[in-house]
Amino acid sequence: MWVAGGQSTPGMKSMAEFGGQSTLNNEMRAQRSNVLDTLSFTVIYAGTGTRKGSLDVDGSHSLVSLVSMVAPSPDWFVGVHDLDLCNGATWTQSMTVDLFPYDAGTDSGLKFASANSATNPRSRSIV
């Protein structure tokens, strides 16, 4: 899905800049041999709230990656990459993960409300 320091795919660009999910979901579906399941949520407009869902994992697919747009922003997001839900032979029952902001490298805006200014060529995602 994404990796810190990697170049954003069209799906990551759409998610980071506009909150779009369809292109990123299609990219995940195209990787079906590596991706067991996907999960998407609707927007939380008030800035705070909760969403609940479930995700299938198994012994061959114990890593989870997730992303969420930071809005408003040019192309910032939070997420984790390859978070392992299995500690050796034991499934993790509960965990808390601090999420850090990343710049997707697709828009050159410097402030939350910057106008759209495409980064050309795209840069690598950075913290």
Side-chain angles (χ1 to χ4, degrees):
M1 176 188 288
W2 74 282
V3 62
Q7 194 159 21
S8 294
T9 65
M12 280 298 297
K13 178 184 185 319
S14 177
M15 184 285 306
E17 290 185 17
F18 308 108
Q21 299 175 17
S22 61
T23 303
L24 187 57
N25 285 335
N26 289 337
E27 290 173 358
M28 295 301 96
R29 284 186 200 100
Q31 297 294 320
R32 269 300 182 205
S33 61
N34 298 317
V35 177
L36 180 64
D37 201 2
T38 62
L39 181 65
S40 296
F41 293 107
T42 57
V43 173
I44 299 174
Y45 288 102
T48 60
T50 60
R51 297 289 187 263
K52 293 183 181 183
S54 62
L55 192 63
D56 289 331
V57 294
D58 64 23
S60 298
H61 299 87
S62 63
L63 304 178
V64 172
S65 296
L66 63 90
V67 291
S68 180
M69 174 190 187
V70 174
S73 77
D75 63 343
W76 305 338
F77 67 98
V78 295
V80 296
H81 172 72
D82 286 354
L83 178 67
D84 200 345
L85 301 180
C86 190
N87 183 10
T90 306
W91 288 99
T92 304
Q93 295 301 309
S94 175
M95 72 173 60
T96 301
V97 178
D98 291 326
L99 299 178
F100 297 98
Y102 290 88
D103 182 320
T106 60
D107 191 310
S108 295
L110 298 175
K111 299 179 181 179
F112 276 108
S114 293
N116 192 22
S117 176
T119 302
N120 193 3
R122 268 186 210 165
S123 64
R124 305 261 177 212
S125 63
I126 55 173
V127 179

